[in-house]
Amino acid sequence: REIRRLLARARLDDEKEGERPVRPGDIAILVRDRNEAAVMQQVLRDHRLNAVYLSARDNVLESPEADSLFMALNGILDLEDDRALIAALATPWFGYDTRALYRLQSDEHAWAEALEDVADLRQRWLNQGFMNMTLRLLQRHAHPDPVRHERMLTNSIHLLELLQEASQKHHQPRALVHWFQQAREEANTARGSEAQQLRLENDANLIQIVTLHGAKGLEYPVVFLPFVSYGRKPSDKELLVRYHDRNDYSARQVLNPDEQELAWYAEEQAAEEIRLLYVGATRAERRLYLLAAEFGQFPFSPLARCFAVDSFAALNEALRAHATEGCAGLLDLNELPEAAAEAPRDEVDDPPQPARFNGRIERDWWLSSFSALTRNARHGGLSTPDRDQDEPETPGEADEQGALRFTLARGAEAGNLLHDLLEWMDFPDPDLDNLIRRAAERYPMLLDPLEDKGSELARWVREILAAPLPSGARLADLPWHDTLRESAFYFPMHSGTARGRLAAILARHRHESEVFLAEPTALKGMLHGFVDLIYQWQGRFYVVDYKSTFLGDRLSDYREPWLTESIRKSFYDLQYLLYSLALHRYLRTRLSNYDPRRHLGGVEYLYLRGMAPGAPGGVYHCPPDIEAIEALDAFFTGQEVTP
């Protein structure tokens, strides 16, 4: 009530602006922790007053939005499970209330419609990625709580960004949800990274609820201290206490303390609370409210300790004795008239009008990638590095005593493991012990037990580094400054009608009469991708891609013609032509004397399971196809091309 009275009538003497009304942003409510903050936020919300809680310690993974998002994602993935689906529909992400959920139980058409919506979301997730699915979920289905819609949207978008970043490593939906579950559990025991710290709404015109620790060094025109008369009686059952030795003032931590140690601990806790009261009381520029109530443990409160009183009546007498006219006064909040609770008037006379959009959105502009071109799927965001995701995640054909290169599980996780090692590694001088230990922390299921698999993985990596490449080099010969790792590229697409033209260029490259490629009807936008490795050797530049593809449990299985069959089956030849085009355009802008016939060395696709010194294969090499690269260059700039 007092806050509403201030907002409705009181004025501040501002040095810059002169006398002006009190604004919500002028008011700070200082609390000890998030529990007290939650109490204050709820009461302010009940009185239609908006407030923001400012704390740098909160983790968005501990928010209610994280709980509801986890439930919604589980329901989308397991929509055949009625319990999981209904739990998802009951979250704010779908917004079904009790009445709507009851209707689903009795209306088959409504149930089928809800099931179809969720099935569409799952299909989007599987085919077009996590962010495409969740943006549709947020835009089409989410029902934020009107009371805290700003906070919910802030947290929700923050969570989606964290999950999108994690999806770059955890490509499969279930792997991503598993990561989300682990991250939420770890958030309860750890402070979390800076990226996970709670973001705040726009607090320009909101009442600010701030922790006493967070208010250090700050000042506010009006400050309320609502809980300084709330005390906590020292417990004689503390199992672990921290205090300072009274002789040398060194910090001590004691398990099962005795009475003397408990007394010292309680004394320091009381001193800390009084210090925080001092911090809070000195934050006010114009007006300070010390609020007191007759709590059960009032004698142990910092306010009671400061005034050396043991009852609420004694505090009243002490305050009256200290009150000085014009400087301090006593206010009984219970005596505030109801009229003081009226809402502050809106200074805007005319209601705001929604803006009208008169532009035109280009629906045919999109961000594409190699995967999108070969699968005819439109991406709603960035592509991800290729990690052999089409392979089934099953063990190799060799027995358990076979080499790790053949028994390592297939699929995206194995590809991620090997790609990460080679991306982090200094080829001539690799610190394999630390690199493999770091990889084991990220991929524990693949490298368990580390004692056995770590040494075998190190031996395998050394063999990869020592294997000769068609260029005449080895990876072990390439210093860091002659390489580019995980190079991302973008280039524009202005090809107009595209159907059949990419396939024709690829067919000419393969020396075949026809190639069947499911192409989009038109390409307009940007093409995006990642090149695992670009290196320079003897004046030429080479495009390298790492493949963890399993072709068999013998080194002889990784030679021609099986390498060419794997390349063409997965359209990796189109991939390396796109990568070569990206390198071609890059060098054209960097080298003044650039000549593709002199500077391009071609492509080398390293099938890592088959690479070893003296092995009969393991590396697919293709010399630079200048005609195909120039045809692609003209194709993406919108020129007519005769393959």
Side-chain angles (χ1 to χ4, degrees):
R1 290 182 187 180
E2 177 66 5
I3 287 175
R4 300 191 73 160
R5 187 189 69 81
L6 290 174
L7 295 176
R9 295 187 176 86
R11 306 184 74 82
L12 281 177
D13 183 13
D14 191 286
E15 294 179 358
K16 296 181 180 179
E17 303 179 16
E19 190 177 350
R20 63 170 178 81
V22 177
R23 300 166 182 162
D26 296 326
I27 299 173
I29 301 174
L30 305 187
V31 296
R32 279 178 284 200
D33 52 41
R34 60 185 302 172
N35 298 318
E36 293 182 354
V39 171
M40 293 308 307
Q41 271 191 309
Q42 183 58 52
V43 176
L44 290 167
R45 195 176 296 131
D46 293 342
H47 286 265
R48 292 183 296 156
L49 292 168
N50 294 323
V52 59
Y53 173 44
L54 305 179
S55 172
R57 301 181 180 183
D58 279 4
N59 193 315
V60 71
L61 294 172
E62 296 180 280
S63 66
E65 287 70 34
D67 296 338
S68 64
L69 179 57
F70 179 72
M71 199 175 299
L73 295 179
N74 268 320
I76 293 171
L77 275 183
D78 297 323
L79 61 89
E80 292 81 8
D81 182 344
D82 290 354
R83 290 170 62 91
L85 177 58
I86 291 175
L89 295 177
T91 66
W93 291 91
F94 287 93
Y96 281 70
D97 58 16
T98 305
R99 188 183 300 275
L101 291 173
Y102 178 76
R103 180 168 170 258
L104 291 180
Q105 304 296 321
S106 55
D107 188 336
E108 292 184 2
H109 295 291
W111 177 259
E113 184 178 344
L115 197 63
E116 183 179 355
D117 287 342
V118 180
D120 174 68
L121 290 169
R122 183 169 70 178
Q123 200 63 28
R124 285 175 174 271
W125 192 353
L126 295 172
N127 294 339
Q128 301 178 42
F130 172 78
M131 188 56 80
N132 183 288
M133 180 275 292
T134 49
L135 286 178
R136 187 174 185 87
L137 175 64
L138 188 63
Q139 294 165 359
R140 297 288 183 89
H141 301 284
H143 287 68
D145 182 354
V147 176
R148 58 188 301 273
H149 65 279
E150 289 185 352
R151 168 49 51 200
M152 177 181 174
L153 290 174
T154 301
N155 287 353
S156 298
I157 294 173
H158 190 178
L159 288 166
L160 298 188
E161 290 176 2
L162 291 176
L163 281 161
Q164 171 63 13
E165 182 179 353
S167 70
Q168 309 301 308
K169 293 292 183 184
H170 306 276
H171 304 293
Q172 301 302 321
R174 293 199 181 277
L176 182 61
V177 172
H178 178 67
W179 172 87
F180 190 26
Q181 181 181 15
Q182 286 187 318
R184 291 170 59 245
E185 292 172 355
E186 292 170 1
N188 293 324
T189 57
R191 181 171 178 178
S193 67
E194 184 177 348
Q196 297 170 3
Q197 291 174 6
L198 201 64
R199 297 176 184 172
L200 305 172
E201 307 100 315
N202 180 7
D203 58 356
N205 199 32
L206 297 176
I207 298 168
Q208 302 185 51
I209 303 176
V210 192
T211 61
L212 288 161
H213 287 284
K216 293 177 184 177
L218 303 177
E219 288 187 332
Y220 307 90
V222 180
V223 170
F224 284 82
L225 299 176
F227 295 107
V228 291
S229 66
Y230 180 78
R232 298 181 177 92
K233 184 178 180 180
S235 172
D236 57 359
K237 297 180 180 179
E238 295 285 350
L239 295 178
L240 180 68
V241 300
R242 296 177 180 85
Y243 67 93
H244 290 80
D245 187 272
R246 294 308 189 264
N247 295 319
D248 59 6
Y249 299 102
S250 60
R252 298 290 179 87
Q253 182 169 283
V254 178
L255 188 65
N256 294 321
D258 57 29
E259 290 185 7
Q260 181 60 65
E261 290 166 336
L262 280 172
W264 287 337
Y265 166 73
E267 179 182 328
E268 292 190 14
Q269 290 297 106
E272 173 66 10
E273 290 194 347
I274 292 174
R275 187 186 69 82
L276 288 177
L277 171 58
Y278 171 79
V279 169
T282 54
R283 299 308 95 199
E285 293 177 339
R286 306 294 183 190
R287 183 175 294 195
L288 169 68
Y289 287 84
L290 294 172
L291 288 96
E294 197 168 1
F295 291 110
Q297 301 296 328
F298 168 78
F300 300 99
S301 68
L303 191 62
R305 293 179 188 272
C306 278
F307 282 94
V309 296
D310 56 6
S311 69
F312 193 70
L315 176 68
N316 266 315
E317 293 179 6
L319 289 175
R320 293 183 189 282
H322 283 80
T324 304
E325 180 117 8
C327 178
L330 294 178
L331 176 66
D332 189 340
L333 298 183
N334 291 320
E335 296 177 0
L336 282 176
E338 286 294 333
E342 65 184 32
R345 295 180 180 178
D346 194 344
E347 297 179 2
V348 181
D349 296 330
D350 298 327
Q353 297 296 325
R356 291 184 175 275
F357 177 70
N358 299 314
R360 188 180 72 85
I361 299 176
E362 295 185 55
R363 300 293 182 183
D364 56 348
W365 194 102
W366 57 302
L367 185 62
S368 184
S369 64
F370 160 70
S371 300
L373 292 178
T374 54
R375 296 175 187 173
N376 195 19
R378 293 208 165 194
H379 281 192
L382 300 180
S383 65
T384 58
D386 175 71
R387 294 293 184 266
D388 310 325
Q389 298 180 59
D390 295 331
E391 276 201 290
E393 297 188 7
T394 57
E397 298 294 334
D399 59 39
E400 294 183 0
Q401 302 303 317
L404 180 66
R405 65 170 67 231
F406 302 130
T407 59
L408 185 68
R410 310 181 212 172
E413 286 296 285
N416 288 335
L417 166 65
L418 295 169
H419 278 74
D420 285 353
L421 283 174
L422 293 168
E423 180 186 352
W424 302 333
M425 189 180 302
D426 181 6
F427 295 147
D429 185 24
D431 185 2
L432 287 178
D433 290 339
N434 285 331
L435 288 174
I436 291 175
R437 189 179 304 110
R438 179 178 169 187
E441 294 174 356
R442 180 172 291 187
Y443 308 101
M445 299 299 292
L446 293 177
L447 297 179
D448 184 25
L450 181 61
E451 294 77 13
D452 299 333
K453 294 186 176 180
S455 59
E456 191 168 356
L457 178 59
R459 183 168 61 253
W460 178 15
V461 170
R462 290 191 185 96
E463 292 176 345
I464 292 172
L465 296 176
L469 302 176
S471 64
R474 303 172 305 162
L475 289 180
D477 299 327
L478 305 176
W480 193 284
H481 60 79
D482 281 339
T483 65
L484 291 175
R485 319 288 182 93
E486 285 291 336
S487 303
F489 66 84
Y490 294 85
F491 58 74
M493 303 183 298
H494 302 291
S495 64
T497 303
R499 190 177 296 279
R501 298 167 67 194
L502 270 179
I505 295 174
L506 185 59
R508 191 214 60 80
H509 173 71
R510 291 184 178 182
H511 303 291
E512 296 179 355
S513 59
E514 190 174 11
V515 170
F516 295 99
L517 179 64
E519 300 177 57
T521 57
L523 291 176
K524 183 180 179 182
M526 297 290 288
L527 188 76
H528 176 48
F530 295 86
V531 183
D532 289 344
L533 174 67
I534 297 171
Y535 74 86
Q536 176 189 211
W537 179 255
Q538 296 180 347
R540 290 183 176 271
F541 296 85
Y542 296 83
V543 169
V544 176
D545 199 84
Y546 308 128
K547 296 298 179 189
S548 62
T549 310
F550 179 83
L551 300 181
D553 56 5
R554 298 169 300 176
L555 290 176
S556 59
D557 293 329
Y558 295 82
R559 59 181 179 175
E560 291 293 347
W562 294 282
L563 292 183
T564 297
E565 180 184 352
S566 171
I567 290 286
R568 295 189 174 185
K569 179 181 178 182
S570 299
F571 291 101
Y572 289 149
D573 43 0
L574 175 60
Q575 182 186 50
Y576 68 61
L577 286 175
L578 295 173
Y579 290 177
S580 298
L581 173 59
L583 178 60
H584 169 69
R585 291 187 170 187
Y586 176 77
L587 294 177
R588 194 167 60 192
T589 63
R590 293 298 191 274
L591 301 180
S592 58
N593 61 341
Y594 174 64
D595 179 356
R597 289 166 180 79
R598 183 158 56 93
H599 289 104
L600 292 183
V603 298
E604 297 172 342
Y605 269 45
L606 310 187
Y607 282 74
L608 302 174
R609 295 182 193 264
M611 289 185 67
V619 180
Y620 175 87
H621 170 66
C622 180
D625 188 340
I626 306 300
E627 291 185 17
I629 293 172
E630 291 178 344
L632 280 175
D633 196 11
F635 168 71
F636 283 112
T637 54
Q639 302 175 33
E640 289 296 328
V641 178
T642 302

